[in-house]
Amino acid sequence: MQLRIGLPHIKNIGLKSRLEADIELPNGEVKTLYYEVESQYEKYLCTDRSDAFLISLLQYAMFYGYNITWDCPVTERLFYQLNTMYIPVLAQVANDQFHSIKMEGALVNTDIEKSTHCVATGASGGIDSFYTVMRHLTDVEESYRLTHLFYVAISNNVTSLGNLRKEFENGYKFIDKIAKELKLPIVTLFSNEAEFYYNGIVNGGALRYAGMVYALEKLFSIYYLSSGFSFADMKIKKGDSHYYDLFNLFCVSTKSIQFYSTGGEKGRHEKTSYIENFNVVKKYLHVCNFDDVHNCSICDKCFRTMLALYADGVLEDFQDVFDLEKFHKYKIKYMARMVYRKSVYDNEIIKKFKVNNKEIPVRAKIKGIAIRPIYLMWQKLQKNKFFMKLFYKTKLDYVLYSKEMADSIRYCNDIK
């Protein structure tokens, strides 16, 4: 079975320009994959290589076991790294999800001509993202300083292209405010690549972002992808691909574009301490699991962020982005949760409390210690397949977590 990438070409649609190519699937169906940008960036769209299309479709092809061929050359170094490292390793580690495939087509080893040196990263408004942005605006050598923000349409859980477009446009309004505050140009790119991933391929991670970046191969020289995981915990394993972003990004780095996974050298709450004094962060920090516009101030991500800020004595500075009344109402409950869970993030906050000479209230400690045995028992039960099947079938997770959180957990674990 073979997937063929047709010749890349540019199509103009109003004030937008699209880099697109016809993708012929093994059953003979032809679908068009495109990357859409503002017309001012048309000259940076790369039509003389299939790099973007190959990267974007690689996990899709591996999932279904499709070999890949192309009509327009692929960068030789990119081919080498994907063929000798990425494909064999993923096929070995996650062989029930990704299959070993063959790639075949013309290669080219000449450099891409660039008229500018652009350094970019995405901007989500979260802790990891703001750390990458603020560090690379102020705390790196000149040639590594940010020149652009890059905003793309990428999702694992949209059900239609229309919904993805709506999410993209709504999200842009928020990211544009951050870009203006930082006085950085923002490059936007909308793609329909998610259509290839609707049918069960979860968490494409760094590789899918890289495909978007490569569409503008003539523009970007360096791209930073924010990491939410410690480099010390890097492990290539089935499941969450963010644990091995260093490997993913190495495999797609070439002379044309160098990718860096950033932030893994620090813990989440070290990053929080680094960014918490910047005014743009105080105005636009957004970490919420459930609300795309505002922080709900009660979900796990909101509360652990507020606890970290509270430990540093700066929570009041973030009253524009968090509901501090909710924090004070529920803080004992969440401090107790820190004590009984003892996750990596919880332990970082507890350490932050000690460093800043702040006490966790006795009530929270007693409650946390009392609940911990029950929590540990629950952790063991989660390893029992029969119990978990019954747990999900009876929808007990909806009772325990709320529908929104339960749906999120089910999706991440590929559970219907």
Side-chain angles (χ1 to χ4, degrees):
M1 295 188 294
Q2 183 168 279
L3 176 154
R4 184 177 67 84
I5 301 171
L7 290 172
H9 56 275
I10 292 176
K11 182 177 181 179
N12 298 113
I13 301 176
L15 298 177
K16 308 284 187 179
S17 298
R18 284 183 178 178
L19 172 67
E20 57 181 45
D22 289 335
I23 310 301
E24 184 178 338
L25 303 178
N27 63 3
E29 179 185 2
V30 176
K31 297 174 69 173
T32 299
L33 172 58
Y34 67 80
Y35 308 91
E36 180 183 285
V37 298
E38 300 289 336
S39 57
Q40 70 189 85
Y41 292 104
E42 177 181 317
K43 62 183 178 179
Y44 300 112
L45 294 172
C46 191
T47 58
D48 53 359
R49 303 197 185 193
S50 295
D51 295 351
F53 300 94
L54 174 61
I55 296 170
S56 288
L57 294 171
L58 184 59
Q59 288 179 324
Y60 168 80
M62 291 182 69
F63 185 81
Y64 290 107
Y66 299 158
N67 295 325
I68 306 176
T69 186
W70 46 83
D71 295 343
C72 185
V74 162
T75 298
E76 185 178 60
R77 177 174 167 181
L78 178 66
F79 173 86
Y80 172 79
Q81 291 167 179
L82 295 177
N83 193 51
T84 62
M85 299 174 209
Y86 186 84
I87 292 175
V89 170
L90 263 288
Q92 179 182 351
V93 173
N95 56 19
D96 60 336
Q97 184 177 21
F98 295 114
H99 306 284
S100 181
I101 63 170
K102 295 181 179 179
M103 303 186 298
E104 186 176 7
L107 303 177
V108 61
N109 60 11
T110 55
D111 294 341
I112 292 283
E113 291 187 11
K114 299 189 181 188
S115 58
T116 183
H117 177 76
C118 290
V119 181
T121 189
S124 68
I127 297 291
D128 300 321
S129 176
F130 261 131
Y131 174 78
T132 295
V133 171
M134 303 317 299
R135 174 148 188 245
H136 291 90
L137 276 175
T138 60
D139 200 18
V140 292
E141 293 71 24
E142 187 173 351
S143 60
Y144 289 86
R145 287 181 187 166
L146 278 180
T147 62
H148 291 72
L149 294 182
F150 189 44
Y151 177 64
V152 303
I154 189 165
S155 179
N156 284 320
N157 57 6
V158 294
T159 55
S160 71
L161 202 60
N163 287 341
L164 182 62
R165 176 78 73 171
K166 185 177 180 180
E167 285 185 11
F168 175 73
E169 292 174 351
N170 289 339
Y172 173 74
K173 296 173 186 176
F174 174 69
I175 303 304
D176 187 49
K177 293 178 182 177
I178 295 176
K180 288 177 178 175
E181 183 88 10
L182 295 171
K183 295 181 173 58
L184 284 175
I186 181 169
V187 182
T188 62
L189 183 148
F190 182 84
S191 175
N192 68 330
E193 64 93 52
E195 287 187 311
F196 291 87
Y197 290 89
Y198 287 160
N199 297 318
I201 302 176
V202 177
N203 208 355
L207 216 70
R208 289 177 62 188
Y209 277 101
M212 307 282 194
V213 176
Y214 264 94
L216 290 160
E217 195 168 356
K218 295 180 179 179
L219 176 65
F220 298 126
S221 298
I222 295 175
Y223 192 86
Y224 301 119
L225 191 76
S226 301
S227 174
F229 297 90
S230 169
F231 294 148
D233 295 329
M234 177 187 164
K235 186 176 183 181
I236 301 176
K237 61 179 183 176
K238 179 184 175 182
D240 197 335
S241 66
H242 293 99
Y243 276 106
Y244 51 91
D245 273 348
L246 281 172
F247 172 72
N248 292 328
L249 296 177
F250 171 79
C251 288
V252 293
S253 290
T254 64
K255 288 182 180 180
S256 179
I257 303 176
Q258 179 66 55
F259 287 88
Y260 293 99
S261 179
T262 59
E265 76 281 4
K266 290 187 178 293
R268 177 66 51 84
H269 301 296
E270 287 181 284
K271 297 179 196 176
T272 304
S273 296
Y274 183 91
I275 66 173
E276 63 193 15
N277 292 315
F278 291 101
N279 288 330
V280 63
V281 180
K282 295 174 184 177
K283 292 171 67 173
Y284 297 112
L285 182 65
H286 182 269
V287 298
C288 190
N289 271 324
F290 300 131
D291 194 315
D292 292 334
V293 179
H294 305 288
N295 292 307
C296 72
S297 300
I298 56 172
C299 74
D300 200 54
K301 284 185 72 176
C302 281
F303 228 94
R304 76 183 185 213
T305 303
M306 288 191 290
L307 280 170
L309 295 170
Y310 175 76
D312 279 344
V314 297
L315 180 59
E316 298 298 323
D317 294 341
F318 289 81
Q319 58 185 335
D320 291 339
V321 293
F322 290 114
D323 185 333
L324 301 193
E325 286 187 14
K326 288 181 179 177
F327 173 80
H328 291 295
K329 181 178 179 180
Y330 296 111
K331 69 180 181 181
I332 296 298
K333 173 184 175 181
Y334 277 84
M335 286 180 183
R337 182 179 291 184
M338 271 194 323
V339 173
Y340 74 70
R341 283 191 316 192
K342 295 185 178 179
S343 71
V344 172
Y345 297 135
D346 296 325
N347 288 335
E348 284 184 5
I349 298 175
I350 291 170
K351 182 179 179 181
K352 189 182 281 278
F353 267 75
K354 291 178 180 178
V355 168
N356 293 329
N357 294 315
K358 280 187 175 288
E359 286 290 328
I360 297 174
V362 174
R363 274 193 302 156
K365 289 181 179 178
I366 293 174
K367 189 175 180 180
I369 292 170
I371 295 174
R372 182 156 175 78
I374 300 171
Y375 174 74
L376 293 175
M377 186 181 299
W378 167 238
Q379 294 296 100
K380 289 183 179 180
L381 284 172
Q382 285 182 294
K383 297 177 182 178
N384 185 298
K385 292 182 180 179
F386 174 78
F387 174 81
M388 292 310 295
K389 185 176 181 180
L390 186 65
F391 177 76
Y392 288 117
K393 188 173 183 179
T394 56
K395 297 187 176 180
L396 284 173
D397 52 332
Y398 284 77
V399 177
L400 289 174
Y401 305 137
S402 82
K403 184 179 185 303
E404 293 86 352
M405 178 63 85
D407 283 342
S408 174
I409 293 171
R410 283 178 178 233
Y411 181 78
C412 290
N413 290 287
D414 200 20
I415 297 165
K416 294 182 180 179

